[in-house]
Amino acid sequence: MGAIEAPELSFAALAPLLFVFGAAAVGVLVEAFAPRAVRHPVQVAIALVGTIGALVATVLLAGTQDVTAAGALAVDGPALFLQGTIAVLGALSVLLFSERALDPARSAFVAAAAVPAGSVRDRELATSERVQTEVYPLATFAIGGMMLFTAANDLLIMFVALEVLSLPLYLLCGLARRRRLLSQEAAVKYFLLGAFASAFFLYGLALVYGATGSVRLSDVRVAVVTEGGSALMVLGLGLLVVGLMFKASVAPFHSWTPDVYQGAPTAVTAFMAAATKVAAFGAVLRLLYVAFGTADWTWRPLIYGLAIVSMVVGAVLGLTQTDVKRMLAYSSIAHAGFLLTGVIGLGPDGTGYGLAATMFYLLAYGLTTLGAFGLITLVRDGDGEATHLSQWAGLAQRSPLVAALMTFFLLALAGIPLTSGFTGKFAVFRAAIEVGAWPLVVTALVASAIAAFFYLRVVVLMYFSDPAPDGPTVGVPGLPTTIVLAITAAATLVLGVLPGSVLDLAESAAVFVG
Amino acid sequence: MSDVPWLVLMIAVPAVGAAVVAALPAAREALARQLALAVSLLVLLLAVLTTIAFDPGGERFQLTTSVAWIPDFGVEFALGVDGIALSMLLLIGVLVPVVVGASWRDTPPPRPGRPARSMTAFWAWLLLLESLMVGVFAATDVFLFYVFFEAMLVPMYFLIGSFGGPNRQYAAVKFFLYSLLGGLVMLASVIGLYVVSNSQLGEGTFAFDALRQLEIDPNVQKLLFAGFFLAFAIKAPLVPFHTWLPDSGAEAPIGGAVLLVGVLDKVGTFGFLRYCLPLFPDASRDLAPWVLVLAVAGIIYAALLAVGQSDMKRLVSYTSIAHFGFIALGIFAFTTEAATGAVLYMFNHGIATGLLFIVVGMVIARGGSRQIRDYGGLAAKAPLLAGVFLLAGLASLALPGTNSFVSEFLVLIGAFPTRPVFTIIATVGIVLAALYVLLMYQRVMHGPPRGVLLVDEDDAGDGDTVRPASGGTGATAVLEAPVRARVLAVRDLSRREIAVVTPLVALILVLGVYPQPLIELISPAVEATMIDIGVDPGGSTPAAPGSTGTGGTD
């Protein structure tokens, strides 16, 4: 038996990942050793350094086309673009987490998660200003997992990344300070269904390994070309896709989304809606384009069908929602369908505009949805956030600025021109039409029109309805939330009005290595 | 002078004005509306200067500006006008100041128990709408056109939803969703065009002039045509895509209604002429009979519905649907005369129906009710109001001597040689038009005094002069009058109102007898469009340029 050789590692190419995981590890140490008084600012600073450092690293690495860690990790355009996107969304989410001006108890997170909800101790803690800071290392680990997910060039690494990003998220979902039972229910639900989906992924991985003899995406590709699609491999691909679609909240694997989005602390929901989607689609794109890009006859009908189901389910069920967070959850499902429309846009020989369009859409959607959830944290009543739609009636009179911003974000989600949502939709629809997916695009447009109705309903409520006498108040956000709202709103506008340079960037980045 | 970017200015000035007005504090309403008036007059001036800079005999698209906007999609911020677009810009220039004047004393809808909404937002949205309307007619890039087309919905949505009648929320959402659905289907066709251009020219583009050169497969043409057509048919609107208009027209504030029917809906017929015909000539020819069925059905059906309306604003909305049927008939008859008539109709309809809406609004402002049955015998006390009402009505039914006659006549004689059956059926609509207009006029203005404006004779002394509109609360029930005599308390037109209606009255009369300048402005563009679809402008209609002479027969 020979000695095990350490694989070649290009530390420079891995710098974004190292930054984030390093920050997460330091965060755990701080949590253990730093005194309580300084923990919060230190943790926020570490998480921000980690994410922003990762962002800078991805920018510096731009243009790299490399496979490292014995072929397990790809550092290429899509990986870097999506890692940068996740880093931005992650940094903004960390800022949302660190907001201390809104809740009278100074944090949206529970003081001691292990205390049973409703117990005497819990009631004591509910009003105390103690904050728990483990959310920051948890979130940083999740961000790291997401970034790893988009770079995984190997199905095993992909699975590891899936777990690294999922486990902290399950915990984060259960950490709401208010309505704790709902939050814990969300966490359990997410965990159970997430575990189920991971099992699907793992089973698919095993079948693909059985069919091709390798877990490396490039080897899978070779096997697909030489041997064609055996039943085993097709089955494996299907199961892998199921596992990924669960994370991307694509219908019909979406059933967790509304409950978890509603129950989780809103800042965490924002993080999940924005960053998890980017990561999941990063993996979907890599799996389908790199490993199965030559066998698009296998996955194209599958993705086609999923896209239609997701758009229709998201748009139609969104109509019946009475809770803002649940409504945005269904919106997220519909948007997953639009994103799959972009995924379809892979032309012959790896050409086609689909990759660039999907990546642009991910960035645009992530920023917009982050901003929309950020605004939800501002609208509060005595019992925490006021998320029932009826409570939003007449909000424009209480706070014209919040109502105007929310309207802007909703118009962007609806895809009205001069917002980033429109540019993104245009890009993915164009990609799909270029490969002849007419019916899909027409379905997408009809779904957009249906979805517009529920976005508009919120606008109608805010502007044209009379406020309830005991309606919610609009909190004055502290600096972190203000920064988040300013950046997301500016990005939504700029990507709608002058998207040229970012589109260029996405297009130039749209080359997979491998 | 042609170096001045007139079109950019016409878009930028009201947009900046809107931003300034929106930034004013809510208490400065008076300043806001003065600013709105000043800005809209400035735009009118710009429109006139643009017309002077435009050479009717020159190239098709003039005053062009083009800047790369989103190079990745091949999108350019390209502006330019032909005679058709320019006539629409003039219409916008004229109507917006008039609308500002007509809305001068408007108050926001009452909200029980709370302070009234500020009108500042109304003026800001109005100016933003003006900016976007100019953009939609001036765009020569299909993508840019689409952007303006959709963005235009937002200000109109807020105008209806915030400042409209009692049922405004429903109307605003219906308006938005109908238009959005049409727009999204058009988006599919816009992308389709791009893909076709990508495969034929090797480079995707949205430039109208480049797209016009494409040779598109007839079946693909039909699909793309259908996408554009649906959007424009909803916008115009043609029966059966019209159901949003009576709601929006009835609930919108008067100023919004004038612009909605007068200008916004013209985007639909403008789109037929600018995009459907030249880009998809084969599909247009093949599908024209079906479009004509819709057009003629609309003329008759909407006119019949108008006769049956009891709400004046709904009635005027239905008359517009009938008129849009005439315009569509003129466009899809494929003769130069008919198309010239249709474009002229688009302009004249904006003036005539705009005036009718404004006068109806003045009546409603006095009585606070939209119902015809709440009025009667106003002419005796308010002769000027009645006179303008009658003139607006007569222009709407296209009486000779008014501007609409010229255009309606041109449409009918232009369409007759190619489409005799449709034309004959459409003529029935003229009779119905006389019916609905005159019935409304007679019931509101003549007959015994009745309705909400009656007051007891004792109060009449002060009520006659001082009492303004009763706040628009719409108290329609009038108790049985006691034995005491009751008289109408109604003011005649105030000086402001006279100033508002005068320009439109003048245009109706002048264009009724001397439409020549306008026809000269639009006919080269119409001929160019006819060449695009393969109709010889001089061939099928021997007297094409001479047809303008028919306009002068009255």
Side-chain angles (χ1 to χ4, degrees), chain A residues 353 397 416-418 422-423 426-427 429-430 433-434 438 445 448-449 452-453 456 459-460 463-467 497-500 503-504 507, chain B residues 69-73 111 114 117 143 146-147 150-151 154 157-158 161-162 169 172-173 176-177 180-181 184 187-188 191-192 194-195 198 206 224:
Chain A
Y353 192 61
Q397 288 147 43
I416 302 294
L418 302 181
F422 173 70
T423 319
F426 187 87
F429 292 167
R430 173 191 147 190
I433 286 187
E434 273 180 355
W438 269 99
L445 290 166
S448 302
F453 180 76
L456 269 191
V459 178
V460 168
Y463 277 90
F464 307 151
S465 296
D466 295 328
V497 178
L498 289 170
L503 283 169
D504 278 340
E507 205 156 357
Chain B
W69 179 25
I70 310 177
D72 306 72
F73 297 160
R111 298 182 301 177
R114 278 174 310 112
R117 206 188 294 267
F143 186 96
Y146 175 78
V147 167
E150 291 284 49
V154 177
Y157 169 74
F158 278 99
S162 298
Q169 295 188 16
V173 172
F176 198 96
L177 286 182
L180 188 73
L181 179 69
L184 285 170
L187 178 62
I191 301 175
Y194 175 85
V195 172
N198 208 357
F206 291 100
L224 297 177

Coordinates of all heavy atoms in Angstrom, one line a residue, chain A residues 353 397 416-418 422-423 426-427 429-430 433-434 438 445 448-449 452-453 456 459-460 463-467 497-500 503-504 507, chain B residues 69-73 111 114 117 143 146-147 150-151 154 157-158 161-162 169 172-173 176-177 180-181 184 187-188 191-192 194-195 198 206 224:
Chain A
Y353 N -27.2 31.4 -24.8 CA -27.1 32.5 -23.9 C -27.6 32.1 -22.5 O -27.5 32.9 -21.6 CB -27.9 33.6 -24.5 CG -27.7 34.9 -23.8 CD1 -26.5 35.6 -23.9 CD2 -28.8 35.6 -23.2 CE1 -26.3 36.8 -23.3 CE2 -28.6 36.8 -22.6 CZ -27.4 37.4 -22.7 OH -27.2 38.6 -22.1
Q397 N -49.6 55.9 3.8 CA -49.9 57.1 4.5 C -49.0 57.1 5.8 O -48.7 58.2 6.2 CB -51.4 57.1 4.9 CG -52.2 57.5 3.7 CD -53.5 56.8 3.8 OE1 -54.2 56.8 4.8 NE2 -54.0 56.3 2.6
I416 N -41.4 44.6 -14.4 CA -41.8 45.8 -15.2 C -40.5 46.5 -15.7 O -39.5 46.5 -15.0 CB -42.6 46.8 -14.2 CG1 -43.8 46.1 -13.7 CG2 -42.9 48.1 -14.9 CD1 -44.8 45.8 -14.7
P417 N -40.5 47.0 -16.9 CA -39.3 47.6 -17.4 C -38.7 48.7 -16.5 O -39.5 49.3 -15.8 CB -39.8 48.2 -18.8 CG -40.9 47.3 -19.2 CD -41.6 46.9 -17.9
L418 N -37.5 48.9 -16.7 CA -36.7 49.8 -16.0 C -36.4 49.3 -14.6 O -35.9 50.1 -13.7 CB -37.3 51.2 -15.9 CG -37.6 51.9 -17.3 CD1 -38.2 53.2 -17.1 CD2 -36.3 52.0 -18.0
F422 N -37.0 43.1 -15.0 CA -37.3 43.0 -16.4 C -36.1 42.6 -17.2 O -36.2 41.7 -18.1 CB -37.8 44.4 -16.9 CG -38.0 44.4 -18.4 CD1 -39.0 43.7 -19.0 CD2 -37.1 45.1 -19.2 CE1 -39.2 43.7 -20.4 CE2 -37.3 45.2 -20.6 CZ -38.3 44.4 -21.1
T423 N -35.0 43.2 -16.9 CA -33.7 42.8 -17.7 C -33.5 41.3 -17.5 O -33.2 40.7 -18.5 CB -32.5 43.6 -17.1 OG1 -32.9 44.9 -16.9 CG2 -31.4 43.6 -18.1
F426 N -36.0 39.3 -19.5 CA -35.7 39.4 -20.9 C -34.6 38.5 -21.3 O -34.6 37.8 -22.3 CB -35.4 40.9 -21.3 CG -35.3 41.1 -22.7 CD1 -36.4 41.4 -23.5 CD2 -34.1 41.0 -23.3 CE1 -36.3 41.6 -24.8 CE2 -34.0 41.2 -24.7 CZ -35.1 41.5 -25.5
A427 N -33.5 38.5 -20.5 CA -32.4 37.7 -20.8 C -32.7 36.2 -20.8 O -32.4 35.5 -21.8 CB -31.3 38.0 -19.8
F429 N -35.7 34.8 -21.2 CA -36.6 34.5 -22.2 C -35.9 34.4 -23.6 O -36.2 33.6 -24.4 CB -37.8 35.5 -22.2 CG -38.7 35.4 -21.0 CD1 -39.6 36.4 -20.7 CD2 -38.6 34.3 -20.2 CE1 -40.4 36.3 -19.6 CE2 -39.4 34.2 -19.0 CZ -40.3 35.2 -18.8
R430 N -35.1 35.4 -23.8 CA -34.3 35.4 -25.0 C -33.5 34.1 -25.2 O -33.5 33.5 -26.3 CB -33.4 36.6 -25.0 CG -32.5 36.7 -26.2 CD -31.4 37.8 -26.0 NE -30.2 37.3 -26.6 CZ -29.1 38.0 -26.5 NH1 -29.0 39.0 -25.7 NH2 -28.0 37.6 -27.1
I433 N -35.9 31.4 -26.1 CA -36.5 31.4 -27.5 C -35.4 31.1 -28.5 O -35.7 30.5 -29.5 CB -37.1 32.8 -27.7 CG1 -38.4 32.9 -27.0 CG2 -37.3 33.0 -29.2 CD1 -39.2 34.2 -27.3
E434 N -34.1 31.4 -28.2 CA -33.1 31.2 -29.2 C -32.9 29.7 -29.4 O -32.5 29.3 -30.5 CB -31.8 31.8 -28.7 CG -31.7 33.2 -29.2 CD -30.4 33.9 -28.7 OE1 -29.6 33.3 -28.0 OE2 -30.2 35.0 -29.1
W438 N -40.3 28.1 -27.5 CA -41.5 29.0 -27.5 C -42.5 28.8 -26.5 O -42.9 29.7 -25.8 CB -42.1 29.0 -28.9 CG -41.6 29.9 -29.9 CD1 -40.7 29.6 -30.9 CD2 -41.9 31.3 -30.0 NE1 -40.4 30.7 -31.6 CE2 -41.1 31.7 -31.1 CE3 -42.7 32.1 -29.4 CZ2 -41.1 33.1 -31.5 CZ3 -42.8 33.4 -29.8 CH2 -42.0 33.9 -30.8
L445 N -44.7 33.9 -19.7 CA -45.3 35.3 -19.8 C -46.6 35.3 -19.1 O -47.0 36.2 -18.4 CB -45.3 35.7 -21.2 CG -44.0 36.0 -21.8 CD1 -44.0 36.1 -23.3 CD2 -43.4 37.3 -21.3
S448 N -46.2 35.3 -15.5 CA -45.8 36.6 -15.1 C -47.0 37.5 -14.9 O -47.1 38.2 -13.9 CB -44.9 37.3 -16.1 OG -43.7 36.5 -16.3
A449 N -47.9 37.4 -15.8 CA -49.1 38.2 -15.7 C -49.9 37.8 -14.5 O -50.4 38.7 -13.8 CB -49.9 38.1 -17.0
A452 N -48.2 39.0 -11.5 CA -48.3 40.5 -11.3 C -49.5 40.8 -10.4 O -49.5 41.8 -9.7 CB -48.4 41.2 -12.7
F453 N -50.5 40.0 -10.5 CA -51.8 40.3 -9.8 C -51.5 40.4 -8.3 O -51.9 41.3 -7.6 CB -52.9 39.3 -10.1 CG -54.1 39.6 -9.4 CD1 -54.9 40.7 -9.8 CD2 -54.5 38.9 -8.3 CE1 -56.1 40.9 -9.1 CE2 -55.7 39.2 -7.6 CZ -56.5 40.2 -8.0
L456 N -49.4 43.3 -7.3 CA -50.2 44.6 -7.4 C -51.1 44.7 -6.2 O -51.4 45.8 -5.8 CB -51.0 44.5 -8.7 CG -50.5 45.1 -9.9 CD1 -51.5 45.2 -10.9 CD2 -49.9 46.5 -9.6
V459 N -49.6 46.5 -3.6 CA -49.5 47.9 -3.9 C -50.8 48.6 -3.7 O -50.9 49.7 -3.1 CB -49.0 48.1 -5.4 CG1 -49.0 49.6 -5.7 CG2 -47.7 47.5 -5.6
V460 N -51.9 47.9 -4.2 CA -53.2 48.5 -4.0 C -53.5 48.7 -2.5 O -54.0 49.7 -2.0 CB -54.3 47.5 -4.6 CG1 -55.7 47.9 -4.1 CG2 -54.2 47.6 -6.1
Y463 N -51.4 51.6 -1.0 CA -51.7 53.0 -1.5 C -53.2 53.4 -1.5 O -53.5 54.5 -1.2 CB -51.2 53.2 -2.9 CG -49.7 53.5 -3.0 CD1 -48.8 52.5 -3.0 CD2 -49.3 54.8 -2.9 CE1 -47.4 52.8 -3.0 CE2 -47.9 55.1 -2.8 CZ -47.0 54.1 -2.9 OH -45.7 54.4 -2.9
F464 N -54.0 52.4 -1.8 CA -55.4 52.8 -2.1 C -56.4 52.4 -1.0 O -57.5 52.8 -1.0 CB -55.9 52.2 -3.4 CG -55.0 52.5 -4.6 CD1 -54.9 51.7 -5.6 CD2 -54.3 53.7 -4.6 CE1 -54.1 51.9 -6.7 CE2 -53.4 53.9 -5.7 CZ -53.4 53.1 -6.7
S465 N -55.9 51.7 0.0 CA -56.8 51.2 1.1 C -56.6 52.1 2.3 O -55.6 52.8 2.5 CB -56.5 49.8 1.5 OG -56.7 49.0 0.4
D466 N -57.6 52.1 3.1 CA -57.5 52.9 4.4 C -56.8 52.0 5.4 O -57.1 50.8 5.6 CB -58.9 53.2 4.9 CG -59.6 54.1 3.9 OD1 -58.9 54.9 3.2 OD2 -60.8 54.1 3.7
P467 N -56.0 52.6 6.2 CA -55.2 51.9 7.2 C -56.2 51.4 8.3 O -57.1 52.1 8.7 CB -54.2 52.8 7.7 CG -54.7 54.2 7.3 CD -55.6 54.0 6.2
V497 N -31.9 49.9 -15.5 CA -31.7 51.0 -16.4 C -30.4 50.9 -17.2 O -30.4 51.1 -18.5 CB -31.7 52.4 -15.7 CG1 -31.5 53.5 -16.6 CG2 -33.0 52.5 -15.0
L498 N -29.3 50.5 -16.6 CA -28.0 50.4 -17.3 C -27.4 49.1 -17.0 O -26.4 49.0 -16.3 CB -27.1 51.6 -16.8 CG -27.5 53.0 -17.3 CD1 -26.7 54.0 -16.7 CD2 -27.3 53.1 -18.8
P499 N -27.9 48.0 -17.5 CA -27.4 46.7 -17.1 C -26.2 46.3 -17.9 O -25.7 45.2 -17.7 CB -28.6 45.8 -17.4 CG -29.3 46.4 -18.5 CD -29.1 47.9 -18.4
G500 N -25.8 47.1 -18.8 CA -24.8 46.7 -19.8 C -23.6 46.1 -19.3 O -23.2 44.9 -19.6
L503 N -24.2 42.7 -17.6 CA -24.5 41.7 -18.6 C -23.2 41.2 -19.3 O -23.0 40.0 -19.5 CB -25.5 42.2 -19.6 CG -26.9 42.3 -19.2 CD1 -27.7 43.1 -20.2 CD2 -27.5 40.9 -19.1
D504 N -22.4 42.2 -19.6 CA -21.1 41.9 -20.2 C -20.3 40.9 -19.3 O -19.7 39.9 -19.8 CB -20.2 43.2 -20.4 CG -20.6 43.9 -21.6 OD1 -21.2 43.2 -22.5 OD2 -20.3 45.1 -21.7
E507 N -21.7 37.5 -19.3 CA -21.4 36.8 -20.6 C -20.0 36.4 -20.7 O -19.7 35.3 -21.1 CB -21.8 37.7 -21.7 CG -22.1 37.0 -23.0 CD -23.0 37.8 -23.9 OE1 -23.4 38.9 -23.6 OE2 -23.3 37.3 -25.0
Chain B
W69 N -27.7 51.5 -25.7 CA -28.2 51.5 -24.3 C -27.8 50.2 -23.6 O -27.0 50.2 -22.7 CB -29.7 51.7 -24.3 CG -30.3 51.7 -23.0 CD1 -29.7 52.0 -21.8 CD2 -31.7 51.3 -22.7 NE1 -30.6 51.8 -20.8 CE2 -31.8 51.4 -21.3 CE3 -32.8 50.9 -23.5 CZ2 -33.0 51.1 -20.7 CZ3 -34.0 50.7 -22.8 CH2 -34.1 50.8 -21.4
I70 N -28.2 49.1 -24.2 CA -27.8 47.8 -23.6 C -27.2 47.0 -24.8 O -27.8 46.3 -25.5 CB -29.0 47.0 -23.0 CG1 -29.8 47.9 -22.1 CG2 -28.5 45.8 -22.3 CD1 -31.0 47.2 -21.6
P71 N -25.9 47.2 -25.0 CA -25.2 46.6 -26.2 C -25.4 45.1 -26.2 O -25.5 44.6 -27.3 CB -23.8 47.0 -26.0 CG -23.7 48.1 -25.0 CD -24.9 47.9 -24.1
D72 N -25.5 44.5 -25.1 CA -25.6 43.0 -25.1 C -26.8 42.5 -25.8 O -26.9 41.5 -26.3 CB -25.6 42.5 -23.7 CG -24.4 43.0 -22.9 OD1 -24.4 44.2 -22.6 OD2 -23.4 42.2 -22.7
F73 N -27.9 43.3 -25.7 CA -29.1 42.9 -26.3 C -29.3 43.7 -27.7 O -30.3 43.5 -28.3 CB -30.3 43.3 -25.4 CG -30.4 42.6 -24.1 CD1 -31.2 43.1 -23.1 CD2 -29.7 41.4 -23.9 CE1 -31.2 42.4 -21.9 CE2 -29.8 40.7 -22.7 CZ -30.5 41.2 -21.7
R111 N -61.8 60.9 2.0 CA -61.5 59.7 2.8 C -62.1 59.9 4.2 O -61.6 60.8 4.9 CB -60.0 59.4 2.9 CG -59.4 59.2 1.5 CD -58.0 58.9 1.6 NE -57.2 60.0 2.2 CZ -55.9 60.0 2.4 NH1 -55.3 58.9 2.1 NH2 -55.3 61.0 3.0
R114 N -60.2 61.1 7.8 CA -58.8 61.4 7.7 C -58.6 62.6 6.8 O -59.5 62.9 5.9 CB -58.0 60.2 7.2 CG -57.8 59.2 8.3 CD -57.1 57.9 7.8 NE -57.8 57.4 6.7 CZ -57.4 57.3 5.5 NH1 -56.2 57.8 5.3 NH2 -58.1 56.8 4.5
R117 N -56.0 63.5 0.8 CA -54.7 63.2 0.2 C -54.3 64.5 -0.5 O -55.1 65.3 -1.0 CB -54.9 62.2 -0.9 CG -53.8 61.3 -1.3 CD -54.2 60.5 -2.5 NE -55.2 59.5 -2.1 CZ -54.9 58.2 -1.8 NH1 -53.7 57.9 -1.7 NH2 -55.9 57.4 -1.5
F143 N -37.5 47.6 -28.6 CA -37.3 47.3 -27.2 C -37.6 48.6 -26.4 O -38.4 48.5 -25.4 CB -35.9 46.9 -27.0 CG -35.6 46.5 -25.6 CD1 -35.6 45.1 -25.2 CD2 -35.3 47.4 -24.6 CE1 -35.3 44.7 -24.0 CE2 -35.0 47.0 -23.3 CZ -35.0 45.6 -23.0
Y146 N -41.2 49.1 -26.2 CA -41.8 48.2 -25.2 C -41.6 48.7 -23.8 O -42.5 48.7 -23.0 CB -41.2 46.8 -25.4 CG -41.8 45.9 -24.3 CD1 -43.0 45.3 -24.4 CD2 -41.1 45.6 -23.1 CE1 -43.6 44.5 -23.4 CE2 -41.6 44.8 -22.2 CZ -42.8 44.3 -22.3 OH -43.4 43.5 -21.3
V147 N -40.4 49.2 -23.5 CA -40.2 49.8 -22.2 C -41.1 50.9 -21.9 O -41.7 50.9 -20.8 CB -38.7 50.2 -22.1 CG1 -38.5 51.0 -20.8 CG2 -37.8 49.0 -22.1
E150 N -44.8 49.7 -21.4 CA -45.1 49.1 -20.1 C -45.0 50.1 -18.9 O -45.8 50.2 -18.0 CB -44.2 47.9 -19.7 CG -44.4 46.7 -20.6 CD -45.6 45.9 -20.2 OE1 -46.7 46.5 -20.0 OE2 -45.5 44.7 -20.1
A151 N -43.9 51.0 -19.0 CA -43.7 51.9 -17.9 C -44.9 52.9 -17.8 O -45.2 53.4 -16.7 CB -42.4 52.7 -18.2
V154 N -47.6 52.5 -15.1 CA -47.5 52.8 -13.7 C -48.1 54.2 -13.3 O -49.0 54.2 -12.4 CB -46.0 52.7 -13.3 CG1 -45.9 53.1 -11.8 CG2 -45.5 51.3 -13.5
Y157 N -51.9 54.0 -13.6 CA -52.4 53.1 -12.5 C -52.6 54.0 -11.3 O -53.6 53.9 -10.6 CB -51.4 52.0 -12.3 CG -51.6 51.1 -11.1 CD1 -52.7 50.2 -11.0 CD2 -50.8 51.2 -10.0 CE1 -52.9 49.4 -9.9 CE2 -50.9 50.4 -8.9 CZ -52.0 49.5 -8.9 OH -52.2 48.8 -7.8
F158 N -51.6 54.8 -10.9 CA -51.7 55.6 -9.7 C -52.7 56.7 -9.9 O -53.4 57.1 -9.0 CB -50.3 56.1 -9.3 CG -49.6 55.1 -8.5 CD1 -48.6 54.4 -9.2 CD2 -49.8 54.8 -7.2 CE1 -47.9 53.4 -8.5 CE2 -49.1 53.9 -6.5 CZ -48.1 53.2 -7.1
G161 N -56.0 54.9 -9.5 CA -56.2 54.2 -8.2 C -56.2 55.2 -7.1 O -56.8 55.0 -6.0
S162 N -55.4 56.3 -7.2 CA -55.4 57.3 -6.0 C -56.4 58.4 -6.2 O -56.9 58.9 -5.2 CB -54.0 57.9 -6.0 OG -53.0 57.0 -5.7
Q169 N -60.2 51.3 -7.1 CA -59.2 50.2 -7.0 C -59.4 49.1 -8.0 O -58.5 48.7 -8.6 CB -59.3 49.6 -5.6 CG -59.0 50.6 -4.5 CD -58.9 49.9 -3.2 OE1 -58.8 48.7 -3.1 NE2 -58.9 50.7 -2.1
A172 N -58.4 50.4 -11.4 CA -57.0 50.5 -11.6 C -56.3 49.2 -11.8 O -55.5 49.0 -12.7 CB -56.3 51.2 -10.4
V173 N -56.7 48.2 -11.0 CA -56.1 46.9 -11.1 C -56.5 46.2 -12.5 O -55.6 45.6 -13.2 CB -56.5 46.0 -9.9 CG1 -56.0 44.6 -10.2 CG2 -55.9 46.5 -8.7
F176 N -54.4 47.8 -15.2 CA -53.0 47.4 -15.2 C -52.9 45.9 -15.7 O -52.0 45.6 -16.5 CB -52.5 47.5 -13.8 CG -51.0 47.5 -13.7 CD1 -50.4 48.7 -13.6 CD2 -50.3 46.4 -13.7 CE1 -49.0 48.8 -13.5 CE2 -48.9 46.4 -13.6 CZ -48.2 47.6 -13.5
L177 N -53.7 45.0 -15.2 CA -53.6 43.6 -15.6 C -53.8 43.4 -17.0 O -53.1 42.7 -17.7 CB -54.5 42.8 -14.7 CG -54.0 42.6 -13.3 CD1 -54.9 41.7 -12.5 CD2 -52.6 42.1 -13.2
L180 N -50.9 44.8 -18.9 CA -49.7 44.0 -18.7 C -49.7 42.7 -19.4 O -48.8 42.3 -20.0 CB -49.5 43.8 -17.2 CG -48.2 43.1 -16.8 CD1 -47.1 44.2 -16.9 CD2 -48.2 42.6 -15.4
L181 N -50.9 42.0 -19.4 CA -51.0 40.8 -20.1 C -50.7 41.0 -21.6 O -49.9 40.2 -22.2 CB -52.4 40.2 -19.9 CG -52.6 38.8 -20.6 CD1 -51.7 37.8 -20.0 CD2 -54.0 38.4 -20.6
L184 N -47.0 41.6 -22.1 CA -46.1 40.5 -21.9 C -46.2 39.6 -23.2 O -45.2 39.0 -23.6 CB -46.5 39.7 -20.7 CG -46.1 40.3 -19.4 CD1 -46.7 39.7 -18.2 CD2 -44.6 40.3 -19.3
L187 N -44.1 41.1 -25.6 CA -42.7 40.8 -25.3 C -42.2 39.6 -25.9 O -41.1 39.5 -26.5 CB -42.5 40.8 -23.7 CG -41.1 40.5 -23.3 CD1 -40.2 41.6 -23.7 CD2 -41.0 40.4 -21.8
A188 N -43.1 38.5 -25.9 CA -42.7 37.3 -26.6 C -42.4 37.5 -28.0 O -41.4 37.1 -28.6 CB -43.8 36.2 -26.4
I191 N -39.1 39.5 -28.5 CA -37.9 38.7 -28.4 C -37.8 37.8 -29.7 O -36.8 37.6 -30.2 CB -38.0 37.8 -27.2 CG1 -38.1 38.6 -25.9 CG2 -36.8 36.9 -27.1 CD1 -38.3 37.9 -24.6
G192 N -39.0 37.3 -30.1 CA -39.0 36.5 -31.4 C -38.4 37.3 -32.5 O -37.6 36.8 -33.3
Y194 N -36.3 39.7 -32.4 CA -34.9 39.8 -32.1 C -34.1 38.5 -32.6 O -33.1 38.6 -33.2 CB -34.6 40.0 -30.6 CG -33.2 40.0 -30.2 CD1 -32.5 41.2 -30.2 CD2 -32.6 38.9 -29.7 CE1 -31.1 41.2 -29.9 CE2 -31.3 38.9 -29.3 CZ -30.5 40.1 -29.4 OH -29.2 40.1 -29.0
V195 N -34.7 37.4 -32.2 CA -34.1 36.1 -32.6 C -34.1 36.0 -34.1 O -33.1 35.5 -34.7 CB -34.8 34.9 -31.9 CG1 -34.3 33.6 -32.5 CG2 -34.7 35.0 -30.4
N198 N -31.4 38.1 -35.4 CA -30.1 37.5 -35.1 C -29.7 36.5 -36.1 O -28.6 36.4 -36.5 CB -30.2 36.9 -33.7 CG -28.9 36.8 -33.0 OD1 -27.9 37.3 -33.5 ND2 -28.9 36.3 -31.8
F206 N -33.0 45.7 -32.5 CA -34.3 46.0 -32.3 C -34.7 47.3 -33.1 O -35.8 47.8 -33.0 CB -34.6 46.3 -30.8 CG -34.6 45.1 -29.9 CD1 -33.5 44.8 -29.2 CD2 -35.7 44.3 -29.9 CE1 -33.4 43.7 -28.4 CE2 -35.6 43.2 -29.1 CZ -34.5 42.9 -28.3
L224 N -45.9 36.1 -34.6 CA -45.3 37.4 -34.1 C -46.4 38.5 -34.2 O -46.6 39.3 -33.3 CB -44.1 37.8 -34.9 CG -42.9 36.8 -34.8 CD1 -41.7 37.3 -35.6 CD2 -42.4 36.7 -33.3

